[in-house]
């Protein structure tokens, strides 16, 4: 199977952050990683370990000989993507149609969500306390208003009134929660609570002549999660990688809404893993701070490729483009955590992997976004660099990256982990 097919399988298996975390865990278990119970004694035994908290997964590999003299080599990403989150009471009727009440999650390009078949995916908790993963398959759609009824120059949907998907028509007893319940084999009244989001139901595809592209939903930021997974999986199977640092894969949830949650980069999850691992290796508080001072982090999130129809939105001297390798993201106002030390660290890893690289700096008139990088660096004081594959249509229901860039990203991360 090609790396692109494997990537598309991963995206298809990850319609929500909860699914992405469990799919990462499943693949890591195949190479010997074992699940760590947060309520049990912490293990830093040689080998691979992981824990899942909500839609986030933390995985760490402890090499033979690791101890309080070691450092952490962290690769950070996030499992969530923009979409439409189901409200607690989602079913309602309008004009003879049965619809689903949703809340807009993050910053999706709203017009791209119209006229697509949508699945409902995420986590359901039943009254017996059991957690279920849900993926209904295509059941919803946001139909566009015909142009004959909309004569304005630009389509700007009202976020409250125009973004509610249809489920059925002329069927007053239709219920999205009934469909969800049936998909996990329980009665509707057994559902206690849920965290459910919509996702494009169409499978991703590879296309193009010459340079090959990948089109799919949720590549911001499953492109980085997958590249990190491949790199972590490969690095953990190396018999000897020449150092005794602990390798850490941190895939957070809720980045698209600010990261301020128990599962997000602004929460305690990464600090918990690093601190407890350090203690399990015999490090006291002072020695754990010393471990942090020796550590480094690559914050991997999608980067902006130059758009040929909007080239003026980019800085005139920095033109990253699909097909030319991973992008180092730099911002003088600290929207990214990269500095000279960490840029050099990352780009040396690219050179070891024989991977081309590019740099992104924003146009002064077009403010850039941010990532988990500055949050992680600020909370833990660990040297951090921001990187990502160049992408077009970011935050669309269906985004676009380069096939070679995705392969190169995994190779560069692996080189960084192996040192």
């Amino acid at each position: 199977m090609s790396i692109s097919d494997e990537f598309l399988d991963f995206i298809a298996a990850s319609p929500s952050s909860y699914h992405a975390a469990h799919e990462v865990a499943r693949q890591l278990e195949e190479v010997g990683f074992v699940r760590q119970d947060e309520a049990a004694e912490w293990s830093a035994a040689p080998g691979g370990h992981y824990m899942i908290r909500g839609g986030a997964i933390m995985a760490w590999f402890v090499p033979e000989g690791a101890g309080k003299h070691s450092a952490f080599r962290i690769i950070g990403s996030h499992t969530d993507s923009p979409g439409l989150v189901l409200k607690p009471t989602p079913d309602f009727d309008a004009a003879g149609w049965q619809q689903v009440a949703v809340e807009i999650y993050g910053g999706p390009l709203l017009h791209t969500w119209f006229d697509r078949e949508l699945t409902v995916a995420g986590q359901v908790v039943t009254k017996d306390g059991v957690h279920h993963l849900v993926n209904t398959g295509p059941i919803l759609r946001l139909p566009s208003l015909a142009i004959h009824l909309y004569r304005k120059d630009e389509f700007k949907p009202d976020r409250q009134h125009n973004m509610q998907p249809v489920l059925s028509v002329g069927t007053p007893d239709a219920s999205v929660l009934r469909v969800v319940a049936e998909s996990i084999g329980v009665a509707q009244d057994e559902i206690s609570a849920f965290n459910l989001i919509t996702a494009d139901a169409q499978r991703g595809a590879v296309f193009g002549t010459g340079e090959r592209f990948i089109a799919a939903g949720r590549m911001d930021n499953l492109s980085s999660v997958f590249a990190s997974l491949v790199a972590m999986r490969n690095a953990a199977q190396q018999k000897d990688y020449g150092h005794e640092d602990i390798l850490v894969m941190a895939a957070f949830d809720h980045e698209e809404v600010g990261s301020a949650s128990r599962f997000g980069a602004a929460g305690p999850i990464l600090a918990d893993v690093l601190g407890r691992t350090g203690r399990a290796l015999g490090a006291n508080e002072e020695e754990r701070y010393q471990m942090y001072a020796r550590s480094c982090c690559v914050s991997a999130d999608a980067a902006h490729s130059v758009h040929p129809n909007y080239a003026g939105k980019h800085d005139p001297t920095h033109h990253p483009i699909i097909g030319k390798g991973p992008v180092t993201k730099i911002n003088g106002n600290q929207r990214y955590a990269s500095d000279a030390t960490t840029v050099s660290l990352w780009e040396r890893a690219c050179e070891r992997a024989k991977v081309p690289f590019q740099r992104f700096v924003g146009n002064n008139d077009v403010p850039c976004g941010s990532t988990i990088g500055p949050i992680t660096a600020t909370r833990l004081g660990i040297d951090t660099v921001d990187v990502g594959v160049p992408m077009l249509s970011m935050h669309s229901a269906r985004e676009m990256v380069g096939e070679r860039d995705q392969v190169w990203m995994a190779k560069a991360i692996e080189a960084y982990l192996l040192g």
Side-chain angles (χ1 to χ4, degrees):
M1 180 184 295
S2 72
I3 191 73
S4 294
D5 288 335
E6 191 179 347
F7 180 37
L8 294 179
D9 284 347
F10 178 78
I11 293 172
S14 307
S16 75
S17 59
Y18 298 95
H19 287 81
H22 281 82
E23 180 62 15
V24 170
R26 184 190 70 78
Q27 293 198 30
L28 288 177
E29 286 181 350
E30 290 181 348
V31 295
F33 280 65
V34 296
R35 186 163 185 168
Q36 170 69 55
D37 181 355
E38 287 194 77
E41 184 177 355
W42 201 260
S43 175
H49 312 262
Y50 75 89
M51 56 163 276
I52 293 176
R53 186 184 291 179
I57 181 167
M58 304 285 119
W60 58 103
F61 183 82
V62 182
E64 294 285 350
K68 58 187 180 182
H69 60 281
S70 299
F72 297 102
R73 298 196 184 202
I74 306 161
I75 175 68
S77 59
H78 66 89
T79 57
D80 63 318
S81 300
L84 309 174
V85 173
L86 270 63
K87 291 183 176 180
T89 304
D91 294 307
F92 74 99
D93 290 359
W97 287 86
Q98 287 67 55
Q99 293 183 258
V100 176
V102 296
E103 182 178 4
I104 295 171
Y105 179 86
L109 287 175
L110 296 182
H111 66 278
T112 68
W113 286 84
F114 284 78
D115 303 325
R116 292 185 177 277
E117 291 67 53
L118 304 176
T119 185
V120 173
Q123 177 180 257
V124 167
V125 182
T126 45
K127 290 179 179 177
D128 57 5
V130 176
H131 292 65
H132 305 262
L133 286 180
V134 173
N135 184 13
T136 63
I139 61 169
L140 303 180
R141 186 178 172 93
L142 270 171
S144 293
L145 182 64
I147 193 169
H148 314 81
L149 305 176
Y150 195 95
R151 294 296 186 178
K152 297 180 181 179
D153 293 334
E154 186 177 357
F155 177 52
K156 290 185 178 180
D158 181 276
R159 293 168 66 90
Q160 175 62 30
H161 297 105
N162 302 147
M163 294 300 298
Q164 311 305 313
V166 299
L167 172 69
S168 185
V169 64
T171 316
D173 62 345
S175 167
V176 69
L177 291 185
R178 182 179 303 116
V179 178
V180 167
E182 289 172 352
S183 73
I184 56 175
V186 302
Q188 182 177 343
D189 61 6
E190 285 301 305
I191 293 178
S192 176
F194 54 82
N195 298 110
L196 297 171
I197 193 168
T198 62
D200 180 14
Q202 183 180 1
R203 181 177 171 84
V206 178
F207 72 100
T209 58
E211 190 70 38
R212 300 281 283 173
F213 306 106
I214 299 173
R218 306 180 298 287
M219 289 195 291
D220 177 10
N221 188 29
L222 294 184
S223 60
S224 298
V225 176
F226 179 73
S228 302
L229 169 62
V230 171
M232 189 73 166
R233 203 173 57 199
N234 292 346
Q237 294 179 87
Q238 297 285 331
K239 297 298 183 184
D240 179 13
Y241 51 73
H243 61 76
E244 296 178 343
D245 292 348
I246 298 109
L247 312 182
V248 181
M249 176 183 174
F252 302 96
D253 200 352
H254 298 146
E255 189 274 346
E256 298 291 354
V257 292
S259 296
S261 75
R262 289 198 309 123
F263 319 138
I269 186 169
L270 179 58
D272 288 349
V273 169
L274 302 186
R276 294 180 76 172
T277 301
R279 282 191 293 272
L281 289 170
N284 59 31
E285 184 178 19
E286 169 61 23
E287 290 163 335
R288 288 198 303 277
Y289 281 118
Q290 293 174 17
M291 293 179 75
Y292 289 2
R294 292 190 291 267
S295 299
C296 51
C297 176
V298 169
S299 165
D301 203 344
H304 295 291
S305 169
V306 169
H307 193 306
N309 296 333
Y310 302 92
K313 294 291 186 180
H314 285 260
D315 182 78
T317 60
H318 296 81
H319 268 196
I321 192 168
I322 287 176
K324 300 297 184 182
V327 178
T328 312
K329 298 154 69 173
I330 301 166
N331 181 262
N333 293 303
Q334 302 303 301
R335 300 292 288 168
Y336 303 130
S338 309
D339 61 20
T341 299
T342 58
V343 168
S344 176
L345 169 76
W346 169 251
E347 293 181 353
R348 289 199 310 272
C350 290
E351 289 170 348
R352 289 196 301 274
K354 296 181 172 55
V355 166
F357 56 84
Q358 312 175 76
R359 293 180 179 178
F360 171 84
V361 178
N363 184 314
N364 286 320
D365 290 327
V366 185
C368 66
S370 192
T371 70
I372 64 162
I375 298 171
T376 300
T378 301
R379 291 200 71 245
L380 299 175
I382 291 175
D383 284 345
T384 303
V385 63
D386 273 292
V387 305
V389 294
M391 177 180 292
L392 288 176
S393 307
M394 191 181 295
H395 285 203
S396 169
R398 197 167 175 87
E399 298 159 325
M400 175 178 168
V401 301
E403 186 177 36
R404 292 193 300 171
D405 293 329
Q406 190 63 41
V407 174
W408 283 330
M409 186 69 174
K411 289 183 177 179
I413 295 172
E414 184 178 344
Y416 156 74
L417 292 175
L418 294 176

